[in-house]
Amino acid sequence: MSARARAARARCAEDDLGAVVAVVEDRDGGPGPLADTPVGVKDLFAVAGHPRYCGLPPDRAGRLVDTEPQPEDAEAVARLARAGAPIVARVASHALAFGVIGHGVTNLAAPGRITGGSSSGSAAALAAGLVDIALGTDTGGSVRIPAACCGVVGVKTTRGLVPLTGVQDLAWSLDTVGPLARDVPTAAAALAVLAGRDGNRVAGHLWDGSSGDPASEPTLPAPPAEPPAADPESLVVGVPTATRRERLDPEVREIWEARLAAFGAAGASLVPVDLPALEEAHAANGRVLCAEAAAVHANGDWSAAPEDVRPRLELGHDLAATSVARAHRVGQRLRAELRAAAERVDVLCTPTLPCRVPEVGQATVEIDGVAEDTTPTLTRLTNPWNLAGAPAASVPAGTDADGVPVGLQLIAPPGGEQSLLRGMVAAAALSLDHR
């Protein structure tokens, strides 16, 4: 066992933040690009020989998910292990990955504030220095939201780029796997490993006019093994006009505008982008997510789900099929608009969250004098890109007046991870001197 893996396991064993579900022994890694890079795995992924509770108490989890020791690793876990990474811990999730708060997990980057979710343990473990890479899932923002809350980097991949084999479903047309890390180069290295080199096929529903023949579907380009050099002069950054019209916390807007100005000062071009479907995408994603989650758990005992999850399962069960079908149509339109925008811009840029990171237990947030429920507010800028199947990332953008992290979101069209990485590297190279 390497000294780094041993030290990471010791830190995880002493965790009192609620981030670690269980320490994983005897997975010490080996040679490879991720050698000596300790990994925490969200407790939705199969880890050979371990149960998975998917964010539920062990005494209730079996009423909704398979809690038996898993016979083999999820493919994403196996890819990291084959690249030499020691797997040191299973980390916490919001129940069933169906929430963005992260109950019971402490955010060391912002004490008293939520970690975000559902990949709460992944981001919290990174912020606490327990691991160097963490695996998460993202169905409506569940990698990017905790990354923004905890001041780390989180990448939501194109739907289909990273296999979901061995990952508990939440909503099959929206679910994605993605890495979290403390910096862009480490996130990029993990992304390259997760994407693999074996011609992953994009999920067919992302390609309008699909032939129906899986063998004829296009493959997704693999991200580069090394992140590109920072080259903001060649970057064209799209600014969604719909986001300009969004209700944003004044400090969040100020920091976003400062980051856009910094892109421009570094030589990047800033271009306004009109995406009409974006106006409808937040609500549409919510309908698809609730309906598919209800279908995934149709045979489970919903009384075992916590109070903040059960009502959304019930809502999904009661949604009309026509409503869900119209929501998928919004996703098709947004994908088409993104592809058209990609002819003019490399990435889009928005805040990750429209509000500052809420305090623990805060049921509503106030933006421009309007009180909003916390959960839908947190997903307002992130979940449209799940509906579109597009890759997106959150990178640190600075802090608010209280020293709490604020995240910057970058988005590319489906299959555009290389452009996304260019934007992430350029963003990371900008001076974060705001407060």
Side-chain angles (χ1 to χ4, degrees), residues 50 66 84 101 112 144 164 173 185 207 224 259 265 323 417:
H50 283 255
D66 173 18
I101 303 301
R144 291 159 288 157
L164 287 158
S173 72
W207 296 93
R259 295 301 97 210
S323 174
E417 270 76 6

Side-chain angles (χ1 to χ4, degrees), residues 38-234:
V39 171
V41 176
K42 184 178 183 178
D43 198 29
L44 253 66
F45 292 80
V47 176
H50 283 255
R52 59 179 177 187
Y53 301 128
C54 302
L56 295 162
D59 60 344
R60 297 207 309 251
R63 291 152 61 186
L64 281 162
V65 296
D66 173 18
T67 59
E68 292 299 313
Q70 298 296 300
E72 59 186 6
D73 287 341
E75 178 58 24
V77 177
R79 289 185 178 189
L80 294 175
R82 288 196 295 267
I87 310 300
V88 299
R90 292 162 39 224
V91 295
S93 169
H94 197 110
L96 299 180
F98 204 176
V100 293
I101 303 301
H103 298 299
V105 182
T106 299
N107 181 357
L108 280 190
R113 307 298 179 103
I114 66 168
T115 57
S118 63
S119 304
S120 51
S122 301
L126 286 163
L130 304 182
V131 296
D132 293 338
I133 293 170
L135 266 183
T137 60
D138 192 311
T139 308
S142 287
V143 162
R144 291 159 288 157
I145 291 168
C149 292
C150 294
V152 299
V153 176
V155 183
K156 173 225 172 302
T157 54
T158 297
R159 176 71 170 87
L161 179 68
V162 183
L164 287 158
T165 309
V167 183
Q168 171 63 46
D169 290 336
L170 175 58
W172 55 80
S173 72
L174 305 172
D175 290 342
T176 57
V177 170
L180 296 89
R182 279 189 293 276
D183 56 60
V184 169
T186 306
L191 178 60
V193 167
L194 289 168
R197 301 294 177 204
D198 52 1
N200 297 296
R201 294 198 176 276
V202 68
H205 75 281
L206 297 184
W207 296 93
D208 303 327
S210 167
S211 68
D213 176 9
S216 70
E217 295 293 352
T219 57
L220 290 166
E226 298 289 336
D231 184 20
E233 293 88 353
S234 68

Side-chain angles (χ1 to χ4, degrees), residues 317-420:
H317 178 270
D318 295 337
L319 279 170
T322 52
S323 174
V324 179
R326 286 195 298 269
H328 278 297
R329 186 64 173 169
V330 173
Q332 290 178 342
R333 287 167 44 210
L334 185 55
R335 283 193 293 279
E337 292 166 8
L338 263 177
R339 291 197 187 99
E343 297 178 2
R344 299 189 296 126
V345 304
D346 297 305
V347 292
L348 304 178
C349 180
T350 75
T352 308
L353 308 178
C355 59
R356 289 174 287 175
V357 179
E359 295 179 358
V360 173
Q362 186 176 340
T364 62
V365 294
E366 185 172 306
I367 304 176
D368 285 345
V370 178
E372 304 182 30
D373 289 344
T374 298
T375 291
T377 300
L378 291 174
T379 62
R380 178 149 42 94
L381 302 181
T382 56
N383 78 359
W385 314 114
N386 294 82
L387 192 68
S394 182
V395 297
T399 58
D400 65 19
D402 296 324
V404 174
V406 174
L408 188 74
Q409 181 175 225
L410 299 164
I411 305 107
E417 270 76 6
Q418 295 190 31
S419 293
L420 183 67

Side-chain angles (χ1 to χ4, degrees), residues 248-347:
L248 303 176
D249 178 272
E251 281 197 83
V252 169
R253 187 181 293 278
E254 180 186 348
I255 292 171
W256 176 46
E257 296 286 3
R259 295 301 97 210
L260 292 174
F263 269 126
S269 300
L270 302 178
V271 176
V273 176
D274 190 24
L275 301 167
L278 191 55
E279 306 274 4
E280 304 174 62
H282 177 235
N285 175 283
R287 294 197 297 274
V288 173
L289 198 164
C290 286
E292 292 186 1
V296 165
H297 296 291
N299 296 322
D301 177 2
W302 290 3
S303 68
E307 290 296 328
D308 65 333
V309 171
R310 192 182 316 127
R312 280 176 283 163
L313 292 173
E314 293 166 349
L315 173 63
H317 178 270
D318 295 337
L319 279 170
T322 52
S323 174
V324 179
R326 286 195 298 269
H328 278 297
R329 186 64 173 169
V330 173
Q332 290 178 342
R333 287 167 44 210
L334 185 55
R335 283 193 293 279
E337 292 166 8
L338 263 177
R339 291 197 187 99
E343 297 178 2
R344 299 189 296 126
V345 304
D346 297 305
V347 292

